[in-house]
Amino acid sequence: MADRATGADRFRDLHHGRAPGDPLVLPGPWDAASARVFAEAGFPALATPSAGVAACLGYEDGATPADEMFAAVARIVRAVDVPVSADVEDGYGLAPKELVERLLEAGAVGCNLEDSANGVLKDPREHAEWLAEVRAVAGDRLFVNARIDTFVRGVDDPAAAIERAALYVAAGADCVYPIGAPVGVLPLLRSGIQGPVNVGGRPGEGPASAELRRLGELGATRITFGPGLQRRAERAVREIAAELLR
C-alpha cells in the first residue's frame, strides 16, 4: 500500500468532480481474499463493512472486539494496492487520538463512524463535537464518513437527517451517510446536504450498473453495500454445499 497520506488524498479526490450518473462504487471486502478480487476487478478503492467482517470472524454484527476488527482491516489493507476505508462502527468507545492512531496503524485511509450506539441515536451536537476531535487529530490523513442513523432508528423525517448532516460536515466530516434513507427522498437529501453523500446499494436487485447509475442520478456521490456482498457470497457457498450433498 502506498503511504497513507497519499492514499487518503487519492481516496478523497475520488469523491469530487463526479457526474450525477457516475457515483463512486466501493465494494465491501470482508477478508483479504475478497479484497483482492475487488481490487483485481478494477475498483479504485474499497470500504470494509463491519457486519461482513463480523460474520467472517464468527461474530454477530456489532459484537466484534475492537482488536479483532482492526486486525482484520490491516489484513485487508496488506492484500491490496488501492485505498481502503474501514467501518469501525461507533468507534468502540475509544478516545479520538487512540481511534485515529489505530486506524492509521491498520493502514486505513478513511473510516465510517455511526451516530448511534446500542440501538439509540446519540445527541447530534455531542457527536459532532466528537467528530471534530477526530478530525483535529487526523488532519487530512483520514477521510471521515459520518453515518446518520435516523432512518434506521425510526426517525423518518428527512429534515432530521439534514440537520445532523449539517452539524457533522461543519465538524469536519468529508462525507455523510444517511443509512436506510428511502430512495424517494434522496433528491431532497442531496439538495439539503453540503458535500458528498453515501448511499447504500442493494446487490442483486436488477441490473447492477443501471441501478447504481440511477442512485447516482438521484443524489448518491458514492455507493457502499454494507454486508450485502458478503451475504450474497455466503448464499453462493450454500448453493455449492447443497450441490455437494445431492
Side-chain angles (χ1 to χ4, degrees), residues 43-232:
F43 289 97
L46 307 174
T48 69
S50 62
V53 173
C56 180
L57 297 175
Y59 293 100
E60 295 295 323
D61 184 19
T64 308
D67 288 350
E68 293 198 42
M69 184 61 75
F70 287 114
V73 170
R75 288 192 293 272
I76 289 170
V77 169
R78 288 197 301 269
V80 296
D81 290 322
V82 298
V84 177
S85 182
D87 181 350
V88 288
E89 304 182 43
D90 68 341
Y92 305 114
L94 300 174
K97 185 175 186 298
E98 183 178 0
L99 175 62
V100 169
E101 287 175 350
R102 298 198 68 174
L103 283 163
L104 293 176
E105 286 172 0
V109 300
C111 58
N112 188 72
L113 296 168
E114 305 169 5
D115 68 350
S116 66
N118 301 315
V120 179
L121 286 166
K122 297 181 178 182
D123 178 273
R125 295 190 181 278
E126 291 180 3
H127 187 62
E129 291 175 1
W130 182 76
L131 287 174
E133 291 182 48
V134 172
R135 169 55 68 211
V137 174
D140 291 334
R141 295 177 296 171
L142 287 175
F143 182 100
V144 177
N145 185 41
R147 203 179 90 172
I148 299 170
D149 289 0
T150 51
F151 291 103
V152 295
R153 302 302 178 209
V155 181
D156 297 329
D157 185 359
I162 291 172
E163 179 181 359
R164 285 178 178 254
L167 290 170
Y168 302 163
V169 169
D174 296 283
C175 181
V176 296
Y177 179 16
I179 187 172
V183 171
V185 306
L186 292 182
L188 177 60
L189 294 176
R190 174 67 282 171
S191 66
I193 294 174
Q194 297 296 315
V197 176
N198 190 143
V199 172
R202 297 171 177 80
E205 295 186 6
S209 59
E211 175 62 12
L212 297 176
R213 186 166 55 251
R214 183 174 77 97
L215 291 176
E217 291 168 348
L218 290 173
T221 308
R222 79 179 209 176
I223 298 173
T224 54
F225 302 91
L229 302 178
Q230 181 270 329
R231 290 173 181 170
R232 188 173 179 183

Side-chain angles (χ1 to χ4, degrees), residues 9-27:
D9 291 341
R10 286 168 55 202
F11 188 63
R12 189 171 284 109
D13 288 346
L14 289 170
H15 292 74
H16 296 282
R18 307 198 71 88
D22 181 34
L24 174 62
V25 179
L26 297 174

